[in-house]
């Protein structure tokens, strides 16, 4: 047992052990924030540990050119405090982005990131299956011990509203974690030939469980995001539509849909989404209150269109975010902040796409998988921002920073393949 432990430790290169442990702690707070209940405090500790690592290894921070505009936006967020921006949100945004800049200086860290993400999102799938299959009386005590003060919110969604929140306090957050597992499986199915059957099973199971959360936005967005990723990254393959790989891709997508549809009918999970749609239609509010808050946000934007009213001001006044991250950023940071944000985001999306294509050209499947998943996650979060709070809520902000690290990273000295020190 002792020799096995020693062998396991040595599998991890010595110079990267500390960053991997920090990364594990970071992801624990992202994926299990409702259990840990001190998300940003631990993120700040991770930032301090990253800085210590840089000092010990005599590494210096360098600015990536494709993040120059985004860096200006980070500065705008920082000074937003002067016009009434929420200091907790601003501090959290700065911590997440500084961690992201440091992580980009650590070669090959992303290989461990995608493994951690898959394991943690599988845990959310398992918890969702437990909630869906077992009567709540058998798991209530376990959830009370895990979630403590958050147990009441989970119980309300899980039992009273019949929406599967898993081990989170919100079904929407659970749906995002399930969608993340779908994206990890999808990129492995598209870009590699390993564990195909296992990835299909996980993909379909996650797809079915997203229905049980009742979150229409995640459900209707995830498949288009996967298709969009394939089109943007493999456009040349699509032009040669008769190629065997693209035919296999189409067969796989159709098979997953048919399998998911059959399971949904057998399990009855589809009724949760259908019942919600019928209810919202009956009260003539298919937007579930979004249209009203969008109108309020627009009126508040008109009151101070240049500089905005300060981040999280809408939440402070109305107790709810806008559920359209772009309208909220426009309202709370004004035209100046919104313009820099959009330019920075477009620049990041383009640079990330180019890096994924370069990874495909170099034909190293590990790099293709990591950068591909990062780009797919980035696309999902950007599109989800149309109906959600991607750049406003803490968890999506951290996930976006992680996606950025995975798409803009470089191969480094710890890489075990023959392409060492080759930029991706």
């Amino acid at each position: 047992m002792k020799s096995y432990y020693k062998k396991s430790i040595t599998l991890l290169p010595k110079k990267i052990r500390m960053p991997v442990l920090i990364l594990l702690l970071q992801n624990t707070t992202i994926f299990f924030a409702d259990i840990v209940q001190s998300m940003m405090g631990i993120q700040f500790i991770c930032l301090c540990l990253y800085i210590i690592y840089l000092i010990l290894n005599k590494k210096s921070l360098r600015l990536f050119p494709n993040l120059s505009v985004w860096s200006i936006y980070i500065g705008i967020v920082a000074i937003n405090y002067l016009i009434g921006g929420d200091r907790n949100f601003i501090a959290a945004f700065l911590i997440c982005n500084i961690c992201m800049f440091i992580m980009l200086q650590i070669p090959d860290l992303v290989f461990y990131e995608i493994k951690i993400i898959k394991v943690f999102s599988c845990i959310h799938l398992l918890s969702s299956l437990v909630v869906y299959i077992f009567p709540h009386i058998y798991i209530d005590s376990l959830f009370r011990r895990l979630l403590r003060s958050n147990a009441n919110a989970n119980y309300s969604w899980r039992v009273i509203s019949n929406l599967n929140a898993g081990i989170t306090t919100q079904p929407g957050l659970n749906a995002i974690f399930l969608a993340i597992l779908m994206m990890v499986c999808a990129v492995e199915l598209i870009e590699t030939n390993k564990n195909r059957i296992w990835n299909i099973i996980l993909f379909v199971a996650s797809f079915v469980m997203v229905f049980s959360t009742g979150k229409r936005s995640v459900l209707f967005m995830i498949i288009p995001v996967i298709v969009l990723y394939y089109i943007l990254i493999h456009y040349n393959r699509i032009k040669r539509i008769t190629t065997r790989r693209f035919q296999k891709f189409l067969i796989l997508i159709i098979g997953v849909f048919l399998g998911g549809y059959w399971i949904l009918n057998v399990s009855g999970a589809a009724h949760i989404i259908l019942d919600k749609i019928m209810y919202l239609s009956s009260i003539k509010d298919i937007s579930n209150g979004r249209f009203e808050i969008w109108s309020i946000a627009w009126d508040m934007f008109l009151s101070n269109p240049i500089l905005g009213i300060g981040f999280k001001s809408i939440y402070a006044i109305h107790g709810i975010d806008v559920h359209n991250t772009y309208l909220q950023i426009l309202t709370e940071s004004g035209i100046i902040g919104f313009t820099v944000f959009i330019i920075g985001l477009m620049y990041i999306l383009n640079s990330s796409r180019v890096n994924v294509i370069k990874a495909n050209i170099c034909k190293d499947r590990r790099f293709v998988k990591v950068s591909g998943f990062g780009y797919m996650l980035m696309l999902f979060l950007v599109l989800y921002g149309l109906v959600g709070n991607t750049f406003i809520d803490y968890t999506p902000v951290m996930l976006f920073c992680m996606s950025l690290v995975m798409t803009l990273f470089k191969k480094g000295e710890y890489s075990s393949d023959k392409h060492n020190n080759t930029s991706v």
Side-chain angles (χ1 to χ4, degrees):
M1 183 71 180
K2 189 174 180 180
S3 61
Y4 174 80
Y5 174 77
K6 185 176 180 181
K7 184 179 178 181
S8 300
I9 293 296
T10 55
L11 289 176
L12 196 62
K14 185 176 181 180
K15 288 187 177 181
I16 204 172
R17 287 175 192 170
M18 182 177 176
V20 171
L21 292 175
I22 301 171
L23 186 67
L24 183 63
L25 184 59
Q26 273 187 289
N27 280 277
T28 300
T29 61
I30 294 172
F31 283 83
F32 306 109
D34 296 316
I35 296 175
V36 176
Q37 297 186 10
S38 55
M39 177 191 292
M40 293 320 305
I42 295 177
Q43 289 291 322
F44 179 71
I45 292 173
C46 290
L47 173 58
C48 294
L49 292 173
Y50 275 131
I51 293 173
I52 293 171
Y53 170 80
L54 290 182
I55 294 171
L56 292 177
N57 288 272
K58 299 179 181 179
K59 290 180 177 289
S60 58
L61 280 175
R62 62 188 179 88
L63 180 64
F64 285 65
N66 40 24
L67 289 174
S68 55
V69 181
W70 186 254
S71 300
I72 297 173
Y73 177 69
I74 294 172
I76 290 175
V77 173
I79 63 175
N80 187 268
Y81 177 74
L82 300 176
I83 60 171
D86 181 77
R87 64 181 180 181
N88 291 326
F89 169 78
I90 292 171
F93 191 86
L94 294 177
I95 290 171
C96 292
N97 279 273
I98 295 171
C99 281
M100 175 265 293
F101 279 112
I102 295 176
M103 291 169 69
L104 283 169
Q105 320 298 320
I106 306 173
D108 301 340
L109 189 61
V110 289
F111 296 128
Y112 303 96
E113 169 68 357
I114 193 168
K115 291 177 182 178
I116 293 170
I117 285 177
K118 187 169 185 178
V119 170
F120 283 2
S121 55
C122 279
I123 293 173
H124 281 283
L125 171 60
L126 180 61
S127 67
S128 299
L129 289 168
V130 167
V131 168
Y132 191 74
I133 295 172
F134 292 96
H136 73 89
I137 57 174
Y138 295 115
I139 58 176
D140 285 346
S141 60
L142 173 63
F143 276 59
R144 280 195 296 270
R145 285 195 294 268
L146 282 174
L147 296 168
R148 292 163 302 188
S149 61
N150 289 324
N152 289 335
N154 176 275
Y155 183 88
S156 177
W157 287 112
R158 178 168 51 88
V159 179
I160 299 174
S161 299
N162 193 33
L163 297 177
N164 194 337
I167 51 174
T168 73
T169 55
Q170 297 180 22
L173 189 58
N174 189 35
I176 289 175
F177 292 141
L178 293 170
I180 286 173
L181 180 56
M182 291 176 67
M183 286 183 275
V184 173
C185 295
V187 80
E188 290 184 354
L189 288 167
I190 294 170
E191 306 294 359
T192 71
N193 293 316
K194 295 181 179 180
N195 304 317
R196 186 170 291 272
I197 300 301
W198 180 239
N199 281 317
I200 290 174
I201 292 171
L202 289 176
F203 186 97
V204 173
S206 300
F207 181 66
V208 173
M209 285 300 98
V210 171
F211 271 86
S212 71
T213 66
K215 302 309 293 183
R216 298 166 298 159
S217 53
V218 173
L219 179 66
F220 297 143
M221 204 168 289
I222 185 61
I223 300 300
V225 163
I226 295 171
V227 174
L228 180 60
Y229 163 80
Y230 194 91
I231 292 172
L232 290 174
I233 304 303
H234 300 289
Y235 178 72
N236 290 329
R237 282 186 193 166
I238 295 173
K239 288 195 296 186
R240 300 189 300 272
I241 198 166
T242 56
T243 60
R244 292 180 62 188
R245 191 173 182 85
F246 187 64
Q247 288 175 351
K248 289 180 179 179
F249 174 71
L250 288 177
I251 292 171
L252 179 62
I253 290 295
I254 293 170
V256 167
F257 265 115
L258 292 176
Y261 179 76
W262 181 79
I263 294 173
L264 283 167
N265 279 300
V266 171
S267 67
H271 289 296
I272 295 175
I273 285 283
L274 294 175
D275 290 346
K276 183 175 181 179
I277 292 174
M278 290 178 64
Y279 169 74
L280 293 174
S281 298
S282 67
I283 62 174
K284 298 180 180 180
D285 184 15
I286 201 67
S287 73
N288 200 18
R290 283 180 172 84
F291 291 160
E292 183 179 354
I293 193 65
W294 291 352
S295 176
I296 292 171
W298 179 254
D299 290 339
M300 295 178 76
F301 160 70
L302 295 177
S303 68
N304 196 349
I306 305 301
L307 297 177
I309 62 174
F311 281 113
K312 286 290 184 177
S313 292
I314 295 174
Y315 185 87
I317 296 171
H318 297 282
I320 188 173
D321 284 310
V322 177
H323 285 80
N324 182 314
T325 196
Y326 306 104
L327 179 56
Q328 185 155 354
I329 289 173
L330 177 65
T331 302
E332 296 182 339
S333 67
I335 293 173
I336 295 175
F338 179 76
T339 302
V340 176
F341 166 76
I342 291 296
I343 294 173
L345 185 59
M346 293 300 103
Y347 203 65
I348 285 172
L349 284 170
N350 183 62
S351 300
S352 299
R353 184 182 66 86
V354 170
N355 278 12
V356 179
I357 292 173
K358 286 182 179 179
N360 272 272
I361 292 172
C362 102
K363 295 182 180 179
D364 186 323
R365 304 330 295 175
R366 292 191 313 150
F367 292 96
V368 173
K369 183 176 75 171
V370 171
S371 60
F373 167 69
Y375 188 60
M376 195 182 293
L377 176 59
M378 188 180 295
L379 288 175
F380 173 78
L381 292 171
V382 168
L383 292 178
Y384 185 71
L386 295 171
V387 292
N389 306 309
T390 298
F391 300 97
I392 298 298
D393 283 348
Y394 297 164
T395 298
V397 167
M398 288 187 284
L399 288 172
F400 180 78
C401 289
M402 291 295 185
S403 73
L404 204 154
V405 171
M406 286 186 279
T407 55
L408 297 182
F409 76 100
K410 291 180 179 289
K411 291 183 183 180
E413 56 190 302
Y414 315 126
S415 182
S416 59
D417 67 283
K418 65 180 180 181
H419 298 291
N420 266 0
N421 304 316
T422 303
S423 295
V424 176

